[in-house]
Amino acid sequence: AVVSTQSTGTINNLYNTVILCEKGLKVFEDSVKSQIEKHILKTIGTDLIRATFSILAEEYECPYSGDTLKLDSLIPYLPKGAKPHGTSLITSITSGSDVAEFLENYSALTDPQFTQLLVRKLDKKKERNLVFAKKQALLESLKLEEKAGELLNIATSLMFLKQQSCLLHIPGRCISSVLKVVSAGLSEEQQHLLEGLQADVVAELRGEAEMSVERKQALRGLVTDIVFGKHDE
């Protein structure tokens, strides 16, 4: 089976997004790091494995109907050398919390001896392009998002990207841990403003008080200043 260019593009984008999320993990304490790793694997990791396994199912003539391939049904059809990697990847996305191990197994499973699918790590220039594209998408979302919780998540991702040049993909419960890391790189005035805005978001999420339009705009303004380097210390 010839692998479509569209599938290859989607898979390479997901694969390199996982790599760029993994790069940023080193700044977190282990307890936070493992929560973020679980989240990356359950979300982007799952999308990557579903897309990849669908292609392998076609290559190895593993029958499946509709869009949903039952992942473990592919394993018996894989060559002997590929089976352990396939099994480990299923474990990773269902209950794992080690992105580096996931990437190792993924790289082994998509070796040219097992598949025609070409999965490549991006070179520095293409990596910068991917980060830039994600940044532009986040900036667009920052303008449009009205839900306070989502807005803070987007804001956090943008500030983290500015400081670490890495992508962030986190569950909501880890936002405060990420903001601690982000705050360390801000001026005292920015830190103070960010703390107040974060408190407003928490109050809305708890149903205590709605975050005003002005305060949401203040959060957008702060993030834009940080991302574009104004008052950046």
Side-chain angles (χ1 to χ4, degrees):
V2 177
V3 180
S4 80
T5 315
Q6 191 187 353
S7 301
T8 305
T10 303
I11 286 169
N12 274 283
N13 196 321
L14 288 165
Y15 172 62
N16 282 288
T17 301
V18 174
I19 290 173
L20 285 167
C21 287
E22 200 258 341
K23 275 188 174 178
L25 292 168
K26 59 188 176 299
V27 298
F28 299 108
E29 295 165 7
D30 286 352
S31 59
V32 178
K33 189 168 168 269
S34 71
Q35 284 183 65
I36 296 174
E37 290 196 73
K38 264 185 192 156
H39 184 69
I40 291 168
L41 292 169
K42 272 198 181 346
T43 52
I44 311 168
T46 300
D47 291 345
L48 175 60
I49 294 309
R50 286 204 172 284
T52 306
F53 275 34
S54 295
I55 284 169
L56 290 170
E58 282 174 30
E59 286 189 302
Y60 289 104
E61 296 177 356
C62 163
Y64 73 99
S65 57
D67 292 336
T68 50
L69 164 71
K70 197 165 177 297
L71 296 178
D72 52 9
S73 68
L74 171 68
I75 305 299
Y77 290 84
L78 291 174
K80 195 176 170 187
K83 280 179 182 158
H85 303 298
T87 307
S88 295
L89 288 166
I90 295 171
T91 306
S92 285
I93 62 173
T94 45
S95 59
S97 59
D98 186 338
V99 175
E101 180 189 41
F102 170 85
L103 287 167
E104 269 172 40
N105 278 304
Y106 187 80
S107 184
L109 180 68
T110 53
D111 187 272
Q113 65 175 315
F114 299 133
T115 177
Q116 289 178 31
L117 172 67
L118 279 174
V119 184
R120 288 202 183 96
K121 223 172 149 174
L122 294 179
D123 60 36
K124 283 279 170 259
K125 188 180 175 203
K126 285 185 177 154
E127 192 178 275
R128 279 197 297 274
N129 290 346
L130 179 62
V131 171
F132 181 76
K134 297 272 180 195
K135 179 175 140 185
Q136 294 309 108
L138 284 166
L139 284 167
E140 201 48 43
S141 302
L142 184 77
K143 280 187 219 160
L144 304 171
E145 184 55 64
E146 290 301 331
K147 288 182 189 157
E150 290 299 320
L151 188 64
L152 185 63
N153 198 326
I154 294 161
T156 306
S157 295
L158 274 164
M159 292 185 286
F160 187 82
L161 194 151
K162 165 72 178 171
Q163 289 181 353
Q164 306 290 334
S165 301
C166 297
L167 301 180
L168 184 70
H169 188 71
I170 50 163
R173 65 181 176 278
C174 291
I175 284 182
S176 57
S177 304
V178 181
L179 287 175
K180 272 185 202 157
V181 173
V182 168
S183 285
L186 302 181
S187 68
E188 216 169 298
E189 189 188 340
Q190 288 172 330
Q191 283 178 7
H192 187 66
L193 179 55
L194 183 58
E195 275 168 26
L197 291 163
Q198 188 186 353
D200 285 3
V201 173
V202 171
E204 175 164 317
L205 291 173
R206 286 183 177 153
E208 294 163 6
E210 204 174 310
M211 189 175 186
S212 71
V213 174
E214 292 77 17
R215 294 294 278 169
K216 285 177 191 167
Q217 205 44 46
L219 178 56
R220 291 186 188 102
L222 172 66
V223 173
T224 308
D225 284 354
I226 291 165
V227 170
F228 295 104
K230 295 171 197 165
H231 327 302
D232 215 350
E233 293 191 353

